Amino acid sequence: MVEPLVELKGVSKSFGSKKILDNVDLKIYPGDALGVIGPSGTGKSTILRIIAGLLKPDAGEVYIQGQKRQGTIEEGEPSLGVGMVFQQSALFDSLTVDENIGFALYRYSKLPPKKIRELVERKLEIVGLPGTGDLYPAELSGGMRKKVSLARAIITDPNNPDNAPCMILYDEPTAGLDPIASTRIENLIHDLLFKQGLCRAYAIVTHQASTIRLTTERIIFIYQGKIQWDGKREEAYVSTHPLLKQFFSGSIEGPIP
Amino acid sequence: MNRILSSSGLWSWIQRSWAAILLSGKAIFFLITRKLDFSSSLEQMMAVGPASLLIALVTASVIGMIFTIQVAREFLQLGAGSAVGGILAIALARELCPVMMAVVVAGRVGSAFAAEIGTMKVTEQIDALYMLNTDPIEYLVIPRLVACCIMVPALSILALFTGLTGGLIVAQMYGIADTVYLDSIYNFLDVWDILSGPIKGVVFGALIAIIGCSWGLTTRGGAKGVGQSTTAAVVTSLLAIFVSDLFLSWLMFQGLGQGATMIGQ
């Protein structure tokens, strides 16, 4: 039996008096291309942040590759091989593209700077931005910033392959992009797992129909703090579940107000 | 009671002040246990020191001149013109230079710390640092803390010399001879007076860095939150500088001074 890469057991999280996640159980397996969908404010990003170790659940347990998360990264917990691409790209404005992508390697690896530059350039080629290492984030378009952010999430120290990301979390990676730039990012996300093998699974929070279609194979639908539906993407499109029907049709008539 | 506290913003200010105290503890722990990033600290020193130099020196010389005008016109009436340089030197060394330099740095640099780190917070860059196994305290706070703790005292020392030079120019206009002015400084000023400014400067520098960084790290919301953090960081820094100066002066200058005994000598 295949062991899950990520497992949430009975995870709950509230912000103030508002319960965002309510006793959520979730398993993400190697090869999973998971789409996390649902209306705004239902805890999709919260799930990602709990898996990433940026948030601590109020109740429940989180396991990454069989290892239990004891706290948040802020409290000193390691990332446990989980990488994250943020909605706003989160590139460091004062650093060049090269310094952004190679940030962890420049700070913590014993690799010479020249070698790191080569590794960065290779990742830039993978994401389709060769020769942009000397630019600053302010000089990049929204799509380019997302790609740089992606390159930063997948770069690893060849002398320390254990630190390679087992899973990448994407928080609305195509939000605010035009359809062509979105498609480029979506193809890239898909290829990183299925062609390049640079991660073992990924989870995407998105509202975009094209992102769901081009990047996900499995979908979970979250509403009122619970996973209301979990299954294959093709089944989601034809499901008679009232939440899914309303979500995919974009209708204002239905259980979601 | 809680409603009054939260509607006035006082509750938020108390929470952020507490966060700043916790940040101070963590920063001291990191300073002791982690290796200092020299290049990053040097970069911050350049932003705090040389970049503030012109405004700092202009401020110091103008204050030296203004103070000399007020002291000279009164002391000359008393026949105590020989004390003008000394009184100015004591005021500049003990209080004016460290406090004014701290005010300049708080306004120019503390606000920039809060704005920069606050923007990083609301654009998820702080979260990205965590995901890259980098503690923002080590990467952002420590270099700024080190830079302020070195540069505010350094600016205070430079400001003392500039202020005294400004005073000398004005003293000449009031007919006080250079030698009288300089002898007065030599007689009034002792080593402790000269050291007190940089010592205060270290404390003020630490307060500016910690408050600026802490207010940045506790920023919420978007652009509005960054703006509020920036303003609040400067106001809180100024308050902290003046209140801590009261306690430092009380601790450092106990008992009666010897300055007045020099008048007429």
Side-chain angles (χ1 to χ4, degrees):
Chain A
M1 189 181 159
V2 183
E3 288 294 312
L5 276 180
V6 173
E7 185 171 9
L8 306 186
K9 288 183 180 174
V11 164
S12 297
K13 180 74 187 172
S14 299
F15 293 113
S17 58
K18 193 177 180 192
K19 196 151 203 168
I20 300 295
L21 295 177
D22 185 10
N23 202 24
V24 169
D25 293 315
L26 174 67
K27 288 179 182 174
I28 304 174
Y29 293 94
D32 259 352
L34 178 71
V36 183
I37 63 170
S40 299
T42 50
K44 303 184 297 296
S45 296
T46 305
I47 282 194
L48 291 200
R49 296 175 81 81
I50 285 173
I51 294 171
L54 292 170
L55 273 179
K56 197 174 185 176
D58 298 333
E61 293 167 349
V62 180
Y63 293 86
I64 311 289
Q65 300 188 86
Q67 206 174 329
K68 188 181 174 185
R69 269 212 189 286
Q70 304 292 346
T72 61
I73 299 178
E74 190 176 350
E75 294 165 349
E77 175 86 354
S79 63
L80 299 174
V82 176
M84 187 154 177
V85 176
F86 293 89
Q87 188 176 351
Q88 303 178 68
S89 303
L91 300 179
F92 307 125
D93 298 325
S94 57
L95 304 181
T96 62
V97 166
D98 171 74
E99 290 163 340
N100 262 285
I101 296 173
F103 185 88
L105 299 185
Y106 282 118
R107 280 184 76 80
Y108 305 116
S109 79
K110 289 176 180 162
L111 295 170
K114 196 182 163 198
K115 175 74 181 164
I116 298 173
R117 274 197 76 96
E118 283 173 20
L119 289 169
V120 168
E121 189 53 36
R122 225 172 291 159
K123 296 300 173 202
L124 281 170
E125 282 166 13
I126 289 173
V127 299
L129 292 175
T132 55
D134 292 329
L135 298 179
Y136 281 88
E139 299 173 85
L140 306 177
S141 69
M144 289 163 88
R145 290 170 69 94
K146 301 268 185 188
K147 287 179 179 177
V148 172
S149 181
L150 234 158
R152 187 172 66 182
I154 57 172
I155 197 165
T156 50
D157 182 353
N159 296 337
N160 198 1
D162 293 343
N163 278 359
C166 70
M167 170 140 197
I168 300 181
L169 309 169
Y170 300 93
D171 192 359
E172 302 202 31
T174 53
L177 297 182
D178 65 75
I180 299 163
S182 288
T183 306
R184 288 205 176 104
I185 296 283
E186 287 150 6
N187 289 340
L188 190 58
I189 290 169
H190 189 266
D191 290 352
L192 287 178
L193 172 64
F194 293 103
K195 286 189 184 165
Q196 316 262 4
L198 289 170
C199 62
R200 295 171 64 198
Y202 60 76
I204 292 186
V205 165
T206 185
H207 289 120
Q208 308 257 101
S210 69
T211 309
I212 297 169
R213 191 180 69 249
L214 292 173
T215 62
T216 66
E217 310 240 314
R218 175 187 163 201
I219 279 175
I220 57 170
F221 189 94
I222 299 180
Y223 185 59
Q224 293 182 331
K226 289 182 182 295
I227 296 176
Q228 305 282 353
W229 194 89
D230 184 348
K232 290 184 177 171
R233 188 192 70 226
E234 293 81 6
E235 292 168 8
Y237 287 136
V238 294
S239 170
T240 55
H241 194 290
L243 289 170
L244 284 171
K245 273 181 77 174
Q246 187 187 356
F247 185 82
F248 284 118
S249 67
S251 168
I252 54 170
E253 303 292 329
I256 304 168
Chain B
M1 181 67 180
N2 279 347
R3 197 177 296 170
I4 295 167
L5 281 175
S6 62
S7 65
S8 65
L10 190 60
W11 181 239
S12 161
W13 186 83
I14 292 167
Q15 285 179 316
R16 293 180 114 175
S17 300
W18 177 242
I21 292 167
L22 294 179
L23 180 65
S24 315
K26 284 183 190 172
I28 291 167
F29 176 76
F30 273 64
L31 267 174
I32 295 166
T33 57
R34 306 272 174 103
K35 205 175 143 193
L36 182 66
D37 184 341
F38 281 103
S39 68
S40 199
S41 300
L42 198 64
E43 195 182 305
Q44 291 302 325
M45 276 186 217
M46 295 303 285
V48 177
S52 307
L53 195 60
L54 183 64
I55 183 171
L57 295 187
V58 170
T59 306
S61 60
V62 170
I63 283 181
M65 288 175 179
I66 294 167
F67 195 89
T68 307
I69 290 170
Q70 299 300 345
V71 173
R73 61 196 291 272
E74 301 298 333
F75 274 41
L76 286 171
Q77 285 283 355
L78 291 170
S82 62
V84 169
I87 295 294
L88 173 68
I90 285 177
L92 285 175
R94 292 180 185 175
E95 302 294 340
L96 293 176
C97 285
V99 170
M100 288 314 299
M101 290 309 102
V103 168
V104 165
V105 172
R108 218 193 69 81
V109 180
S111 57
F113 288 172
E116 186 183 355
I117 296 175
T119 305
M120 289 182 76
K121 175 77 178 172
V122 300
T123 55
E124 299 177 314
Q125 291 178 53
I126 301 295
D127 288 334
L129 277 176
Y130 281 124
M131 292 309 295
L132 294 164
N133 294 317
T134 302
D135 196 306
I137 297 174
E138 187 181 0
Y139 181 66
L140 297 171
V141 179
I142 298 297
R144 285 164 174 77
L145 178 63
V146 169
C148 283
C149 287
I150 291 173
M151 283 303 167
V152 176
L155 287 172
S156 298
I157 293 167
L158 285 173
L160 175 60
F161 289 107
T162 318
L164 289 174
T165 308
L168 175 64
I169 294 164
V170 173
Q172 285 171 335
M173 287 159 56
Y174 279 88
I176 299 167
D178 295 357
T179 49
V180 173
Y181 179 86
L182 294 172
D183 280 348
S184 170
I185 294 170
Y186 181 76
N187 289 330
F188 273 65
L189 215 54
D190 64 27
V191 175
W192 182 237
D193 292 323
I194 296 168
L195 286 177
S196 65
I199 291 170
K200 285 184 174 182
V202 172
V203 176
F204 297 158
L207 287 170
I208 293 164
I210 290 293
I211 291 168
C213 293
S214 182
W215 256 250
L217 286 169
T218 50
T219 300
R220 286 183 182 181
K224 190 180 173 189
V226 174
Q228 285 171 341
S229 286
T230 307
T231 311
V234 175
V235 172
T236 307
S237 294
L238 295 180
L239 191 66
I241 289 163
F242 295 133
V243 172
S244 63
D245 187 43
L246 169 67
F247 286 106
L248 287 169
S249 293
W250 180 72
L251 274 172
M252 294 166 95
F253 301 104
Q254 294 197 339
L256 296 176
Q258 299 297 311
T261 61
M262 306 285 182
I263 294 174
Q265 284 183 12

